[in-house]
Amino acid sequence: MKRSFLPAALALVLTLGLTPAAFPAETVEIKLATILPVGTSGHQSLMEMRAAWQKAAGPAVKLTIYAGMADGEPLLVKKMRARQINAAVLTAVGLSEIDRSVSSLQLMPMMFHDWREVDHVRQKIRAELESRLRAKGFEVLFWGDAGWVRYFSKEPGAYPDDYKKMKLFVLAGVPRQMEIMRELGYQPVSLETEQILPALTTGMVSVVPVPPFLANALQFSRQAKYMLDLNWAPIVGAAIVRRDVWEKIPPPLRAQLQEIATAASEKIRTQTRAEDDEAIVAMKKNGLVVQPVTPPILAAWQALAAQSYPMI
């Protein structure tokens, strides 16, 4: 029976277009961390990607997703380097810990006017950015974004100087941003994302520059009821994985998983962009006051952005 079974089994494998080496002998485990809150559409899309990977790879690849991570993005990068995790969804803040070139997509306020411009520039420099990250030991699974930064405050504000008397949230782990804000005359306070709501409640901070979908999901607008209707900067990022782990997966399967990840990124971008507008509508129903931007207000913010470029 053994002599007759083995040739038959091999014939079946070859008929299906697979070879015995088509999948790794051991399961490749990918531990992916993200600060995206559990239950958001971005998190849901990642869970759908995990299910699609499982269907495509079977036991060859195991993707575990850790969402709502309290660790700051710089710490997530350190954990990847220490092999405690081996993948992450990061904004330009975290990616800049690996290679600062990625910051060109996010950390230059008012450089972009709309998503069309962001998409165009990202596509033009994408190969260069991926090459730089690859040289540092990381592969890009997909690129994504998470809305435009808007200013949410406990007191009304319109002009840049209005916010100088308020305490401004700055994401922890970005000391240079703290320095720049101080040089520009602001009062920055360094916090992790999960610390924002308690800080708003106690008055530790009174201004939070975040995308509307995040302000709505984490209920920041219940404390910061004023929003300036200004696209300050896009939140841009990518899902990356350690190159040494990714290359354990055979090339044909890697290509298939990459295709699934690309589809997930397109869904994430579409959903988060729509959610920004939907979040503003929802928050207005709960008392959010939107401050329109007149030409003089816009000119004042553009001047502030231009002043910050040499520092950045």
Side-chain angles (χ1 to χ4, degrees), residues 74-96:
L75 184 55
L76 290 182
V77 174
K78 289 181 180 179
K79 287 187 173 183
M80 279 195 290
R81 286 174 169 152
R83 301 177 186 274
Q84 295 173 345
I85 57 174
N86 47 38
V89 177
L90 301 170
T91 67
V93 171
L95 294 171
S96 294

Side-chain angles (χ1 to χ4, degrees), residues 88-160:
V89 177
L90 301 170
T91 67
V93 171
L95 294 171
S96 294
E97 294 292 311
I98 301 170
D99 192 280
R100 288 194 55 79
S101 62
V102 185
S103 66
S104 60
L105 289 171
Q106 178 177 317
L107 302 184
M108 297 171 67
M110 301 194 73
M111 181 61 68
F112 300 103
H113 297 90
D114 53 37
W115 287 121
R116 185 174 59 87
E117 290 186 357
V118 175
D119 290 340
H120 177 79
V121 173
R122 176 167 45 200
Q123 190 58 34
K124 288 289 185 179
I125 65 175
R126 176 178 176 175
E128 173 68 16
L129 296 180
E130 291 183 0
S131 176
R132 287 170 178 252
L133 291 169
R134 187 177 298 113
K136 302 289 178 65
F138 296 93
E139 288 289 340
V140 174
L141 294 175
F142 64 76
W143 292 94
D145 43 63
W148 289 90
V149 169
R150 308 283 184 92
Y151 280 81
F152 290 82
S153 59
K154 300 184 72 169
E155 303 170 25
Y159 288 89

Side-chain angles (χ1 to χ4, degrees), residues 155-204:
E155 303 170 25
Y159 288 89
D161 283 352
D162 294 340
Y163 297 91
K164 289 184 178 180
K165 60 185 178 183
M166 309 179 199
K167 295 178 181 178
L168 181 75
F169 157 73
V170 171
L171 188 64
V174 194
R176 181 55 186 150
Q177 188 174 359
M178 292 281 289
E179 294 170 4
I180 290 173
M181 296 309 294
R182 289 194 185 103
E183 289 174 32
L184 292 172
Y186 292 89
Q187 304 177 59
V189 178
S190 178
L191 298 170
E192 298 292 358
T193 305
E194 79 279 1
Q195 297 174 310
I196 296 175
L197 187 57
L200 281 169
T201 303
T202 62
M204 184 178 179

